[in-house]
Amino acid sequence: MKHGKKYSESAKLVDRAKLYETEEAMALVINTAKAKFDETVEIHVRLGVDSRHADQQVRGAVVLPNGTGKTVRVAVFAKGDAAKAAEAAGADIVGAEDLVQKIQGENFLDFDVCVASPDMMGLVGRLGKVLGPRGLMPSPKAGTVTPDVAKAVTEAKAGKIEYRLDKTNIIHCPIGKVSFGAEKLAENFNTLMEAIGRARPAATKGQYIRSCAVASTMGPGVKVNYNKYLNMQIAAE
């Protein structure tokens, strides 16, 4: 794959054989981000699990201490007092049957997070084929199916992200923007990595974390030393 001049120049600053300590890695990601916009910084973690098995799934949600830097639009399926609470918490779209019809009939998907009260899931289930492939289907594991919809809205607005395995057993998640600076990115990184560490399935055998890297939107990957998260797991077990 042929890369552009800026990427090639940035890649020269990264030692591909080295595992960088967290703050050093974040500083390097910032230094190698050459785009004219405020690039998103993403984490990519390869796990020693098999996502084909139900007992080896890794999925959850965590509130990043410094948010993601993104304005999050939240849709809520709720009625009555729950709907009023969601609106008061800052939900962008609140509805029930009307919202289902809007999504089905108008292909309305102008939101980033979808929350539902438990009594609405029979209704929301009709949207599985639309919301599911886009990662928008409410889920108890992600905290987006809950009787406390106001709390879910507040957390989503504050920077709550969902992490989950893809088919290649890798977790991809945003942890902020280049403009955050190394310290805030490191805080978000540590919070997410600790959550992933605690989510280790009991059925996992061998080394749980196989590799970890961070990169900006247009920049090269920087490998991060993940050994302390392995030690946390060994100590916990």
Side-chain angles (χ1 to χ4, degrees):
M1 182 178 178
K2 190 174 181 180
H3 293 289
K5 183 178 178 181
K6 287 183 179 180
Y7 181 96
S8 299
E9 289 176 352
S10 293
K12 291 176 184 177
L13 302 175
V14 181
D15 184 347
R16 294 179 63 82
K18 180 178 178 179
L19 293 180
Y20 291 88
E21 296 305 319
T22 305
E23 282 212 29
E24 185 183 9
M26 301 307 152
L28 187 53
V29 165
I30 292 168
N31 195 30
T32 56
K34 304 296 185 183
K36 294 181 180 178
F37 61 92
D38 191 6
E39 297 180 52
T40 296
V41 178
E42 285 199 347
I43 181 175
H44 309 277
V45 188
R46 182 183 295 277
L47 300 181
V49 297
D50 190 340
S51 60
R52 294 174 297 178
H53 299 290
D55 61 354
Q56 293 188 45
Q57 290 295 319
V58 179
R59 181 180 182 182
V62 63
V63 178
L64 299 179
N66 301 299
T68 62
K70 179 181 178 182
T71 300
V72 179
R73 289 181 58 80
V74 183
V76 179
F77 288 92
K79 288 182 176 180
D81 290 341
K84 292 177 182 177
E87 289 174 349
D92 298 278
I93 308 117
V94 181
E97 289 87 353
D98 57 328
L99 183 52
V100 171
Q101 291 172 2
K102 190 171 184 179
I103 292 171
Q104 287 180 325
E106 302 174 27
N107 197 31
F108 175 76
L109 293 166
D110 189 19
F111 49 89
D112 307 294
V113 176
C114 188
V115 175
S117 58
D119 60 310
M120 288 283 100
M121 284 310 293
L123 193 66
V124 179
R126 303 175 193 171
L127 302 172
K129 290 183 179 179
V130 179
L131 300 180
R134 293 170 174 81
L136 293 171
M137 192 67 182
S139 160
K141 285 187 177 180
T144 47
V145 176
T146 172
D148 192 349
V149 292
K151 180 182 178 183
V153 171
T154 301
E155 288 181 340
K157 291 283 187 179
K160 186 175 185 177
I161 60 167
E162 184 179 358
Y163 59 88
R164 62 188 301 177
L165 285 177
D166 67 9
K167 292 180 180 179
T168 60
N169 304 317
I170 300 175
I171 289 174
H172 309 273
C173 274
I175 56 168
K177 298 284 187 178
V178 166
S179 60
F180 280 22
E183 185 177 345
K184 287 185 177 181
L185 286 172
E187 288 176 356
N188 282 356
F189 174 89
N190 288 327
T191 298
L192 178 57
M193 286 298 291
E194 286 167 8
I196 292 172
R198 289 192 297 268
R200 175 176 180 163
T204 303
K205 295 179 180 179
Q207 187 169 314
Y208 177 48
I209 301 173
R210 297 290 177 85
S211 68
C212 176
V214 290
S216 63
T217 306
M218 306 295 288
V222 178
K223 294 178 181 177
V224 187
N225 187 351
Y226 53 84
N227 286 322
K228 68 178 179 179
Y229 301 103
L230 290 177
N231 294 334
M232 283 173 54
Q233 280 300 309
I234 292 168
E237 290 173 354

